[in-house]
Amino acid sequence: MKKVLLISYSFPPANSPAAKRAFYFAKYLPEFNCQSFVLTASNQISSLGYGSSLQEEHIHFVDTPPSFKPGQRTSKEVLKPGLLSSVIRHFLFPDRGIVWAPRALKMGRAFLKKEKDIDCIFATAPSFVNILVALLLSLQFEKKLVLDFRDFYFTKGLFKRFILLRWLDYLLELWAMKRSNHILFISIGMMKCYVERYPFIKSKSSIIYNGIDLQNYPSNTLESSKPNSEVVKLFYAGSLYLNSAHPRDIFIILRLFEMLSKTNAISNYEFHIASNLTPLELKLFEPYLNSGSVKILGVLSQQQVEDYYKQVDACLLLLGNSEQDQFAVPIKVFEYLNTGLPILTLCPSEAEVLELLNESSFNGNCFYGKQFEELNLEVIAHWMKKVKEYTPQGYNQALLMKFDRKEQARTLADLIQQL
């Protein structure tokens, strides 16, 4: 049996997508002849709060397993948006996870000195401090290295550090490309971008999409009964990144719905939003909160999110308007597909996710840009009419089997066996 050291700052009970990806690899790798050991932060800060109940007793932790403490703050509560936090961010290399790096290196070194038969180190990023720690440990102990890029870093990354410090990002990314034995990406477009910049990685690159653990949903347990209401309820769960250069601009959709509502082109509706919002961000929603068209739910646990799917008519999927978002295939896509509910999407017009959505149950696709406004209004009006007549059918099992977490762990195990 191969032995793998899995490095991820994020891990349950954190609710973040990074935590889920790391968890499911750790959970299922042993079924495919790969024993996994997890190096994670015992006191982590999560952007989406805590409460995920994905823990498994058989997972071996290198350090103290993370736990949720009442009153534990999210990243938005620790790092308040503003000029100071923006400046500090430029100096935290490679990202704010660097505060964990000294302990991660200490515990990782102690573990590898004791467990000399570890075959491979696997790190998933962001946080890109996972990559840095994995590189240093693999160099010191001469271990095979598999790196998993779920987001762009220097190449097409949205965050641009001060010009001189930006060279540090480039050097870390270049070192990762050269040192790794294999590199994983979460979409075809993302892999193409990296291969174009670093042609020498072509032969050691492949894709493992984000996905969903179908073992958690036997017999279409997320199939919804049609809510008995004249109001169409749309549900969004996830980050909005409202302070970033390319936010998930839900206000575009809210304005379009408002325009259609004023002309009675659509039926009554409500947006139910589960997201971690600062007081300043909440103020942006005030006009819609006052009109009753928006309900803010705060941060929900994974179980609460799954329960909420049964109370709504449709799901809202948001990507930002950037090249990075064009190639993104978020975990939320697979959760939404699993519900069998209609999906309304706002994304770049060339987004890779559209190909996947077009294989699913009916959806409406809206695009960024003033030139698409009339088309978006038509799409929403038509989509809303169909939502009123739609009965949820449960998930498309044949489609989602391609993105099953267990099968993805099998792919990773096969890759590790071949190193």
Side-chain angles (χ1 to χ4, degrees), residues 253 256 315-317 319 342-351 353-368 372-380 382-383:
I253 293 293
L256 291 171
C315 297
L316 178 63
L317 177 65
L319 279 74
I343 300 171
L344 179 66
T345 304
L346 174 65
C347 63
S349 59
E350 300 297 324
V353 73
L354 294 174
E355 184 176 342
L356 175 61
L357 290 173
N358 288 337
E359 296 183 52
S360 69
S361 57
F362 93 84
N363 54 88
N365 299 323
C366 296
F367 307 119
Y368 284 95
F372 291 111
E373 185 169 286
E374 286 300 320
L375 174 62
N376 290 342
L377 287 167
E378 291 178 17
V379 165
I380 291 172
H382 178 68
W383 182 82

Short mmCIF file of all heavy atoms in Angstrom, two decimals, residues 253 256 315-317 319 342-351 353-368 372-380 382-383:
data_model
loop_
_atom_site.label_atom_id
_atom_site.label_comp_id
_atom_site.label_asym_id
_atom_site.label_seq_id
_atom_site.Cartn_x
_atom_site.Cartn_y
_atom_site.Cartn_z
N ILE A 253 -28.27 40.43 -11.35
CA ILE A 253 -29.47 39.59 -11.41
C ILE A 253 -30.63 40.25 -10.66
O ILE A 253 -31.77 40.27 -11.14
CB ILE A 253 -29.17 38.20 -10.81
CG1 ILE A 253 -28.18 37.43 -11.70
CG2 ILE A 253 -30.44 37.39 -10.62
CD1 ILE A 253 -28.72 37.05 -13.05
N LEU A 256 -32.11 42.96 -12.82
CA LEU A 256 -32.88 42.41 -13.94
C LEU A 256 -34.24 41.91 -13.48
O LEU A 256 -35.26 42.14 -14.14
CB LEU A 256 -32.09 41.27 -14.60
CG LEU A 256 -30.82 41.67 -15.36
CD1 LEU A 256 -30.02 40.43 -15.77
CD2 LEU A 256 -31.17 42.50 -16.60
N CYS A 315 -32.12 27.25 -8.10
CA CYS A 315 -30.80 27.63 -7.57
C CYS A 315 -30.19 28.72 -8.44
O CYS A 315 -30.40 28.76 -9.66
CB CYS A 315 -29.86 26.42 -7.54
SG CYS A 315 -30.40 25.09 -6.46
N LEU A 316 -29.41 29.58 -7.80
CA LEU A 316 -28.69 30.65 -8.50
C LEU A 316 -27.20 30.33 -8.46
O LEU A 316 -26.63 30.11 -7.39
CB LEU A 316 -28.97 31.99 -7.83
CG LEU A 316 -28.26 33.21 -8.41
CD1 LEU A 316 -28.70 33.48 -9.84
CD2 LEU A 316 -28.51 34.44 -7.53
N LEU A 317 -26.57 30.30 -9.63
CA LEU A 317 -25.14 30.05 -9.74
C LEU A 317 -24.46 31.31 -10.25
O LEU A 317 -24.82 31.83 -11.30
CB LEU A 317 -24.87 28.89 -10.70
CG LEU A 317 -23.40 28.56 -10.97
CD1 LEU A 317 -22.71 28.07 -9.71
CD2 LEU A 317 -23.28 27.53 -12.09
N LEU A 319 -20.73 33.30 -11.14
CA LEU A 319 -19.29 33.38 -11.33
C LEU A 319 -18.95 34.85 -11.55
O LEU A 319 -19.82 35.65 -11.92
CB LEU A 319 -18.82 32.55 -12.53
CG LEU A 319 -18.64 31.05 -12.31
CD1 LEU A 319 -19.99 30.35 -12.24
CD2 LEU A 319 -17.80 30.43 -13.41
N PRO A 342 -34.06 23.59 -11.19
CA PRO A 342 -33.63 24.50 -12.25
C PRO A 342 -32.50 25.40 -11.75
O PRO A 342 -32.46 25.75 -10.56
CB PRO A 342 -34.89 25.32 -12.55
CG PRO A 342 -36.01 24.50 -12.03
CD PRO A 342 -35.48 23.75 -10.85
N ILE A 343 -31.61 25.79 -12.64
CA ILE A 343 -30.45 26.62 -12.27
C ILE A 343 -30.44 27.86 -13.15
O ILE A 343 -30.53 27.77 -14.37
CB ILE A 343 -29.14 25.84 -12.46
CG1 ILE A 343 -29.13 24.58 -11.59
CG2 ILE A 343 -27.94 26.73 -12.11
CD1 ILE A 343 -27.96 23.65 -11.88
N LEU A 344 -30.33 29.02 -12.51
CA LEU A 344 -30.12 30.28 -13.23
C LEU A 344 -28.67 30.69 -13.01
O LEU A 344 -28.21 30.77 -11.87
CB LEU A 344 -31.06 31.37 -12.71
CG LEU A 344 -30.92 32.75 -13.38
CD1 LEU A 344 -31.32 32.68 -14.85
CD2 LEU A 344 -31.74 33.79 -12.64
N THR A 345 -27.95 30.96 -14.10
CA THR A 345 -26.51 31.22 -14.02
C THR A 345 -26.17 32.61 -14.55
O THR A 345 -26.73 33.05 -15.56
CB THR A 345 -25.74 30.18 -14.86
OG1 THR A 345 -26.08 28.87 -14.41
CG2 THR A 345 -24.23 30.37 -14.74
N LEU A 346 -25.25 33.28 -13.86
CA LEU A 346 -24.62 34.50 -14.37
C LEU A 346 -23.13 34.21 -14.47
O LEU A 346 -22.49 33.89 -13.46
CB LEU A 346 -24.85 35.68 -13.44
CG LEU A 346 -24.12 36.98 -13.82
CD1 LEU A 346 -24.63 37.53 -15.15
CD2 LEU A 346 -24.24 38.03 -12.72
N CYS A 347 -22.57 34.33 -15.67
CA CYS A 347 -21.17 33.96 -15.87
C CYS A 347 -20.63 34.64 -17.12
O CYS A 347 -21.38 35.22 -17.90
CB CYS A 347 -21.05 32.44 -16.00
SG CYS A 347 -21.90 31.76 -17.45
N PRO A 348 -19.32 34.58 -17.37
CA PRO A 348 -18.78 35.06 -18.65
C PRO A 348 -19.39 34.28 -19.81
O PRO A 348 -19.74 33.10 -19.65
CB PRO A 348 -17.27 34.78 -18.51
CG PRO A 348 -17.02 34.72 -17.05
CD PRO A 348 -18.26 34.13 -16.45
N SER A 349 -19.51 34.90 -20.95
CA SER A 349 -20.21 34.25 -22.07
C SER A 349 -19.49 33.02 -22.61
O SER A 349 -20.12 32.17 -23.25
CB SER A 349 -20.40 35.26 -23.22
OG SER A 349 -19.15 35.75 -23.66
N GLU A 350 -18.18 32.90 -22.33
CA GLU A 350 -17.43 31.74 -22.80
C GLU A 350 -17.09 30.78 -21.66
O GLU A 350 -16.16 29.98 -21.76
CB GLU A 350 -16.12 32.20 -23.47
CG GLU A 350 -16.32 33.10 -24.67
CD GLU A 350 -17.06 32.41 -25.80
OE1 GLU A 350 -16.84 31.20 -26.00
OE2 GLU A 350 -17.87 33.08 -26.47
N ALA A 351 -17.83 30.84 -20.57
CA ALA A 351 -17.50 30.04 -19.39
C ALA A 351 -17.56 28.55 -19.69
O ALA A 351 -18.50 28.05 -20.32
CB ALA A 351 -18.46 30.38 -18.25
N VAL A 353 -18.14 26.22 -17.66
CA VAL A 353 -19.19 25.55 -16.91
C VAL A 353 -20.47 25.39 -17.73
O VAL A 353 -21.30 24.50 -17.46
CB VAL A 353 -19.48 26.33 -15.61
CG1 VAL A 353 -20.22 27.63 -15.89
CG2 VAL A 353 -20.26 25.47 -14.62
N LEU A 354 -20.66 26.21 -18.76
CA LEU A 354 -21.87 26.15 -19.57
C LEU A 354 -22.03 24.80 -20.26
O LEU A 354 -23.15 24.30 -20.41
CB LEU A 354 -21.88 27.28 -20.61
CG LEU A 354 -21.98 28.69 -20.05
CD1 LEU A 354 -21.83 29.72 -21.17
CD2 LEU A 354 -23.29 28.90 -19.31
N GLU A 355 -20.93 24.22 -20.68
CA GLU A 355 -20.99 22.92 -21.35
C GLU A 355 -21.55 21.86 -20.41
O GLU A 355 -22.35 21.01 -20.81
CB GLU A 355 -19.59 22.51 -21.84
CG GLU A 355 -19.58 21.22 -22.64
CD GLU A 355 -18.20 20.89 -23.18
OE1 GLU A 355 -17.34 21.79 -23.23
OE2 GLU A 355 -17.98 19.71 -23.54
N LEU A 356 -21.13 21.93 -19.17
CA LEU A 356 -21.63 20.98 -18.17
C LEU A 356 -23.10 21.24 -17.87
O LEU A 356 -23.91 20.30 -17.82
CB LEU A 356 -20.80 21.10 -16.89
CG LEU A 356 -21.25 20.28 -15.68
CD1 LEU A 356 -21.22 18.80 -16.00
CD2 LEU A 356 -20.36 20.59 -14.49
N LEU A 357 -23.48 22.50 -17.72
CA LEU A 357 -24.87 22.83 -17.39
C LEU A 357 -25.83 22.45 -18.51
O LEU A 357 -26.98 22.10 -18.26
CB LEU A 357 -24.99 24.32 -17.09
CG LEU A 357 -24.35 24.79 -15.78
CD1 LEU A 357 -24.38 26.31 -15.70
CD2 LEU A 357 -25.04 24.17 -14.58
N ASN A 358 -25.36 22.51 -19.73
CA ASN A 358 -26.23 22.18 -20.86
C ASN A 358 -26.59 20.71 -20.91
O ASN A 358 -27.50 20.30 -21.64
CB ASN A 358 -25.56 22.61 -22.18
CG ASN A 358 -25.56 24.11 -22.35
OD1 ASN A 358 -26.38 24.81 -21.76
ND2 ASN A 358 -24.64 24.62 -23.15
N GLU A 359 -25.85 19.87 -20.15
CA GLU A 359 -26.19 18.45 -20.05
C GLU A 359 -27.22 18.19 -18.96
O GLU A 359 -27.70 17.07 -18.81
CB GLU A 359 -24.93 17.63 -19.75
CG GLU A 359 -23.87 17.65 -20.83
CD GLU A 359 -22.70 16.76 -20.46
OE1 GLU A 359 -22.95 15.58 -20.13
OE2 GLU A 359 -21.55 17.23 -20.49
N SER A 360 -27.54 19.22 -18.18
CA SER A 360 -28.37 19.02 -17.00
C SER A 360 -29.82 19.33 -17.30
O SER A 360 -30.21 19.60 -18.43
CB SER A 360 -27.87 19.95 -15.88
OG SER A 360 -28.15 21.30 -16.22
N SER A 361 -30.64 19.32 -16.22
CA SER A 361 -32.03 19.74 -16.35
C SER A 361 -32.05 21.22 -16.72
O SER A 361 -31.04 21.89 -16.67
CB SER A 361 -32.76 19.52 -15.02
OG SER A 361 -32.10 20.22 -13.99
N PHE A 362 -33.22 21.72 -17.05
CA PHE A 362 -33.26 23.03 -17.71
C PHE A 362 -32.64 24.13 -16.86
O PHE A 362 -32.74 24.15 -15.63
CB PHE A 362 -34.69 23.36 -18.15
CG PHE A 362 -35.50 24.15 -17.17
CD1 PHE A 362 -35.38 25.54 -17.13
CD2 PHE A 362 -36.40 23.54 -16.32
CE1 PHE A 362 -36.14 26.29 -16.27
CE2 PHE A 362 -37.17 24.29 -15.45
CZ PHE A 362 -37.04 25.67 -15.43
N ASN A 363 -31.98 25.06 -17.54
CA ASN A 363 -31.33 26.17 -16.86
C ASN A 363 -31.41 27.41 -17.72
O ASN A 363 -31.66 27.35 -18.92
CB ASN A 363 -29.86 25.82 -16.56
CG ASN A 363 -29.11 25.40 -17.80
OD1 ASN A 363 -28.57 26.23 -18.51
ND2 ASN A 363 -29.09 24.11 -18.10
N GLY A 364 -31.20 28.57 -17.08
CA GLY A 364 -31.15 29.83 -17.80
C GLY A 364 -29.77 30.43 -17.66
O GLY A 364 -29.21 30.47 -16.56
N ASN A 365 -29.18 30.87 -18.75
CA ASN A 365 -27.82 31.39 -18.74
C ASN A 365 -27.81 32.89 -19.04
O ASN A 365 -28.21 33.31 -20.13
CB ASN A 365 -26.96 30.65 -19.77
CG ASN A 365 -26.88 29.16 -19.48
OD1 ASN A 365 -26.82 28.76 -18.32
ND2 ASN A 365 -26.90 28.34 -20.52
N CYS A 366 -27.35 33.67 -18.07
CA CYS A 366 -27.18 35.11 -18.25
C CYS A 366 -25.70 35.45 -18.28
O CYS A 366 -24.89 34.78 -17.64
CB CYS A 366 -27.86 35.88 -17.11
SG CYS A 366 -29.65 35.66 -17.05
N PHE A 367 -25.36 36.52 -19.03
CA PHE A 367 -23.96 36.84 -19.23
C PHE A 367 -23.66 38.28 -18.84
O PHE A 367 -24.54 39.15 -18.87
CB PHE A 367 -23.56 36.63 -20.70
CG PHE A 367 -23.91 35.26 -21.22
CD1 PHE A 367 -24.78 35.10 -22.28
CD2 PHE A 367 -23.37 34.13 -20.62
CE1 PHE A 367 -25.11 33.84 -22.75
CE2 PHE A 367 -23.70 32.86 -21.07
CZ PHE A 367 -24.57 32.71 -22.15
N TYR A 368 -22.41 38.51 -18.47
CA TYR A 368 -21.96 39.86 -18.12
C TYR A 368 -21.88 40.74 -19.38
O TYR A 368 -21.60 40.25 -20.48
CB TYR A 368 -20.58 39.80 -17.47
CG TYR A 368 -20.59 39.34 -16.04
CD1 TYR A 368 -20.36 38.00 -15.72
CD2 TYR A 368 -20.85 40.22 -15.00
CE1 TYR A 368 -20.36 37.57 -14.40
CE2 TYR A 368 -20.86 39.80 -13.68
CZ TYR A 368 -20.61 38.46 -13.38
OH TYR A 368 -20.62 38.03 -12.08
N PHE A 372 -25.55 42.29 -23.36
CA PHE A 372 -26.36 41.10 -23.13
C PHE A 372 -27.64 41.40 -22.33
O PHE A 372 -28.41 40.48 -22.06
CB PHE A 372 -25.55 40.03 -22.37
CG PHE A 372 -24.43 39.43 -23.17
CD1 PHE A 372 -23.11 39.69 -22.85
CD2 PHE A 372 -24.70 38.58 -24.24
CE1 PHE A 372 -22.07 39.13 -23.59
CE2 PHE A 372 -23.68 38.02 -24.98
CZ PHE A 372 -22.36 38.29 -24.65
N GLU A 373 -27.86 42.67 -21.97
CA GLU A 373 -28.97 42.97 -21.06
C GLU A 373 -30.33 42.54 -21.62
O GLU A 373 -31.13 41.91 -20.91
CB GLU A 373 -29.00 44.45 -20.70
CG GLU A 373 -30.06 44.77 -19.66
CD GLU A 373 -29.94 46.17 -19.10
OE1 GLU A 373 -29.02 46.41 -18.29
OE2 GLU A 373 -30.79 47.01 -19.48
N GLU A 374 -30.61 42.89 -22.87
CA GLU A 374 -31.91 42.53 -23.46
C GLU A 374 -32.07 41.02 -23.53
O GLU A 374 -33.14 40.47 -23.23
CB GLU A 374 -32.05 43.14 -24.86
CG GLU A 374 -32.31 44.64 -24.85
CD GLU A 374 -33.60 44.99 -24.12
OE1 GLU A 374 -34.61 44.27 -24.27
OE2 GLU A 374 -33.60 45.99 -23.37
N LEU A 375 -30.99 40.34 -23.92
CA LEU A 375 -31.03 38.88 -23.98
C LEU A 375 -31.25 38.29 -22.58
O LEU A 375 -32.05 37.36 -22.41
CB LEU A 375 -29.72 38.34 -24.57
CG LEU A 375 -29.55 36.82 -24.57
CD1 LEU A 375 -30.62 36.15 -25.41
CD2 LEU A 375 -28.16 36.43 -25.06
N ASN A 376 -30.56 38.84 -21.59
CA ASN A 376 -30.71 38.34 -20.22
C ASN A 376 -32.15 38.51 -19.71
O ASN A 376 -32.68 37.62 -19.04
CB ASN A 376 -29.75 39.07 -19.28
CG ASN A 376 -28.30 38.69 -19.50
OD1 ASN A 376 -28.00 37.67 -20.11
ND2 ASN A 376 -27.39 39.53 -19.01
N LEU A 377 -32.76 39.62 -20.05
CA LEU A 377 -34.16 39.84 -19.64
C LEU A 377 -35.08 38.80 -20.27
O LEU A 377 -35.97 38.26 -19.61
CB LEU A 377 -34.61 41.25 -20.04
CG LEU A 377 -34.02 42.40 -19.22
CD1 LEU A 377 -34.30 43.74 -19.90
CD2 LEU A 377 -34.59 42.40 -17.79
N GLU A 378 -34.84 38.50 -21.53
CA GLU A 378 -35.65 37.48 -22.20
C GLU A 378 -35.44 36.10 -21.59
O GLU A 378 -36.39 35.34 -21.39
CB GLU A 378 -35.29 37.44 -23.70
CG GLU A 378 -35.73 38.66 -24.48
CD GLU A 378 -35.30 38.59 -25.94
OE1 GLU A 378 -34.96 37.49 -26.40
OE2 GLU A 378 -35.30 39.64 -26.61
N VAL A 379 -34.17 35.78 -21.30
CA VAL A 379 -33.84 34.48 -20.71
C VAL A 379 -34.53 34.31 -19.36
O VAL A 379 -35.15 33.27 -19.09
CB VAL A 379 -32.30 34.33 -20.54
CG1 VAL A 379 -31.97 33.16 -19.62
CG2 VAL A 379 -31.65 34.14 -21.90
N ILE A 380 -34.46 35.34 -18.52
CA ILE A 380 -35.06 35.24 -17.19
C ILE A 380 -36.58 35.13 -17.27
O ILE A 380 -37.21 34.32 -16.57
CB ILE A 380 -34.66 36.46 -16.32
CG1 ILE A 380 -33.16 36.39 -16.00
CG2 ILE A 380 -35.48 36.51 -15.03
CD1 ILE A 380 -32.63 37.63 -15.32
N HIS A 382 -38.44 33.93 -19.69
CA HIS A 382 -38.79 32.60 -20.18
C HIS A 382 -38.52 31.54 -19.12
O HIS A 382 -39.33 30.63 -18.90
CB HIS A 382 -37.99 32.31 -21.46
CG HIS A 382 -38.24 30.94 -22.03
ND1 HIS A 382 -39.44 30.57 -22.57
CD2 HIS A 382 -37.43 29.85 -22.12
CE1 HIS A 382 -39.38 29.32 -22.99
NE2 HIS A 382 -38.16 28.86 -22.72
N TRP A 383 -37.38 31.66 -18.45
CA TRP A 383 -36.96 30.68 -17.44
C TRP A 383 -37.93 30.70 -16.25
O TRP A 383 -38.34 29.64 -15.76
CB TRP A 383 -35.54 31.02 -16.99
CG TRP A 383 -34.94 30.09 -15.98
CD1 TRP A 383 -34.34 28.89 -16.21
CD2 TRP A 383 -34.87 30.30 -14.57
NE1 TRP A 383 -33.89 28.34 -15.04
CE2 TRP A 383 -34.21 29.18 -14.02
CE3 TRP A 383 -35.29 31.33 -13.72
CZ2 TRP A 383 -33.96 29.06 -12.65
CZ3 TRP A 383 -35.05 31.22 -12.36
CH2 TRP A 383 -34.39 30.09 -11.83
#
